[in-house]
Amino acid sequence: LTPSRGGCIAAGVNGPFTGKGFSCGCVDDPYKGPKEAASESYRQDFINWLQSVWFPRADSPQVTAPDGSLVTNLSALIFVLTRWDEEDMVGWLLQQELEEAPQHWHVLDLPAIAEHPADRPQYPPTVTVEPDWRQPGEALCPERFPLQELLKIRARTGSFWWSALYQQRPAPASGGIFQRAWLRGRFQRKQKRRYAPLVLACDLTFKDEEDSCYCGFVLMGLLAPEHGGAQKLEIEVLWAVRKRLGLPGTIHFLLAASAALEQQGLRPHAVLVEDAANGPAVIQTLRRKIRGLLPLPARGSKELRAHAVAPLLEAGQVAFHPRAEPLVEELPRFPKGTKDLTDAFCHGAL
């Protein structure tokens, strides 16, 4: 508190502000990281707190203007955060601008490397944006982070994290964790393709009801070098299948798929089954019928596995056969929408 009856009250996110007011309220980094920002339940809980605790604390006292008239002095509201997710608090506030009572926010959005205005996020017409004085390609603070250093950081972090952490855009316009530009057709080969190893990765569910998740199956292989050539990291995804199956259907599908692949000369060296859901039962049933059947411990979240695999696609080390089209359609939308093929693919690539 100050002698002039002013002061500062600080608390953590969702902290106690009931009974207190402010003339300048600042919310700084409400999300600890991408996991909280991606959590729909956490985001909604935080919005509920804003609506029920934070916004009602804003004062609107009347003050005397120089001409003697009374003017309502509305409180200032400031939000500072990393845009981890498109549907985070900022996304919600901007969506509110399209409703009946827009707040007319002023946005300070200065990316680490200046972009052409046409490439920047589009804001509602009720929002004003602080002008960027730079030409496209210029660094924001070159005395601290020169352009060459920023380019190294972009290569090291990958496009997804670069876009969120440095450009204040939660996902590239061309895709999310996996960009569409990274999805290429098959590698050029003069000789017959050989794969060592060839892997069938499976992401299973518990039941085959209409509201249950799909099972995802992805066949992929590391291309063996051509005669006289050096080994390269070139992974081809041969096909991807998404089916809603229970335990009996999963067993039948794997047996039929194994037989069909055997006839095509594509016997997998490993069949990876996540050790969750129906996985343990499938492994117990088929361990003597399918060679190379291996349980795969589930470590971390689907998103973390995707971030670990994304650099392979960005570096042009993964290619897709036309029969993998369902996976190609799913990857740019991840983590939105269905995730089963993407998770199976990430298990196989890792």
Side-chain angles (χ1 to χ4, degrees):
L1 301 178
T2 72
S4 302
R5 300 181 63 188
C8 174
I9 302 169
V13 173
N14 289 331
F17 279 106
T18 304
K20 303 177 178 66
F22 61 79
S23 56
C24 178
C26 180
V27 175
D28 181 43
D29 278 338
Y31 306 110
K32 295 178 182 177
K35 185 176 181 180
E36 283 189 353
S39 168
E40 184 177 353
S41 61
Y42 183 88
R43 291 197 307 260
Q44 187 57 53
D45 181 58
F46 179 57
I47 289 172
N48 291 341
W49 178 80
L50 289 175
Q51 292 175 314
S52 61
V53 176
W54 182 254
F55 289 133
R57 305 280 74 76
D59 292 331
S60 55
Q62 288 187 323
V63 296
T64 303
D67 61 1
S69 62
L70 291 177
V71 179
T72 300
N73 184 25
L74 297 177
S75 298
L77 293 171
I78 303 171
F79 295 95
V80 183
L81 72 157
T82 297
R83 294 296 315 276
W84 297 108
D85 192 277
E86 292 175 294
E87 298 181 7
D88 61 9
M89 179 196 65
V90 170
W92 176 74
L93 290 173
L94 293 176
Q95 182 63 36
Q96 300 300 302
E97 289 297 292
L98 303 176
E99 305 296 335
E100 297 179 355
Q103 299 300 304
H104 302 279
W105 296 99
H106 183 70
V107 177
L108 179 62
D109 178 8
L110 299 175
I113 298 179
E115 297 177 326
H116 191 280
D119 297 328
R120 296 305 297 157
Q122 299 299 307
Y123 292 100
T126 55
V127 168
T128 57
V129 181
E130 188 72 16
D132 194 334
W133 63 92
R134 299 168 293 162
Q135 294 297 315
E138 290 186 19
L140 177 61
C141 191
E143 61 270 23
R144 291 196 59 202
F145 290 96
L147 179 60
Q148 290 303 317
E149 185 62 28
L150 289 173
L151 295 177
K152 292 177 184 178
I153 294 173
R154 184 173 66 181
R156 186 166 62 243
T157 60
S159 295
F160 185 86
W161 294 125
W162 166 262
S163 184
L165 291 168
Y166 291 87
Q167 301 298 93
Q168 278 298 284
R169 189 167 54 207
S174 56
I177 298 176
F178 303 100
Q179 292 192 35
R180 297 182 188 278
W182 302 345
L183 307 178
R184 55 174 293 170
R186 303 181 77 184
F187 294 109
Q188 296 296 320
R189 279 290 185 274
K190 297 179 181 179
Q191 302 174 3
K192 182 179 179 181
R193 282 172 160 75
R194 295 180 296 110
Y195 301 96
L198 184 66
V199 174
L200 175 60
C202 312
D203 180 63
L204 306 183
T205 185
F206 280 106
K207 50 190 177 182
D208 59 353
E209 297 177 1
E210 291 186 0
D211 59 349
S212 65
C213 295
Y214 286 94
C215 294
F217 305 91
V218 176
L219 181 69
M220 53 198 301
L222 177 66
L223 272 170
E226 294 185 294
H227 181 69
Q231 177 67 61
K232 299 179 181 179
L233 181 56
E234 294 180 333
I235 299 172
E236 280 196 342
V237 182
L238 303 183
W239 58 253
V241 178
R242 182 191 300 110
K243 288 182 174 291
R244 191 171 271 124
L245 300 169
L247 179 58
T250 300
I251 292 172
H252 175 77
F253 176 83
L254 285 175
L255 288 172
S258 297
L261 291 173
E262 183 83 23
Q263 292 179 353
Q264 299 172 46
L266 293 173
R267 174 190 287 179
H269 297 86
V271 179
L272 307 178
V273 178
E274 188 174 6
D275 196 11
N278 278 335
V282 169
I283 294 171
Q284 181 69 22
T285 304
L286 297 179
R287 61 181 179 178
R288 295 184 178 178
K289 298 180 181 180
I290 296 180
R291 290 180 54 185
L293 193 63
L294 298 173
L296 193 66
R299 296 190 177 94
S301 66
K302 296 178 187 290
E303 287 78 8
L304 289 176
R305 289 192 287 271
H307 282 298
V309 171
L312 295 176
L313 280 77
E314 187 171 6
Q317 295 172 320
V318 181
F320 299 86
H321 190 280
R323 287 181 292 181
E325 185 63 25
L327 173 61
V328 172
E329 293 176 356
E330 183 180 298
L331 283 171
R333 297 194 297 266
F334 183 87
K336 311 294 182 183
T338 56
K339 306 177 178 66
D340 315 282
L341 290 176
T342 301
D343 203 31
F345 164 70
C346 292
H347 277 306
L350 290 173

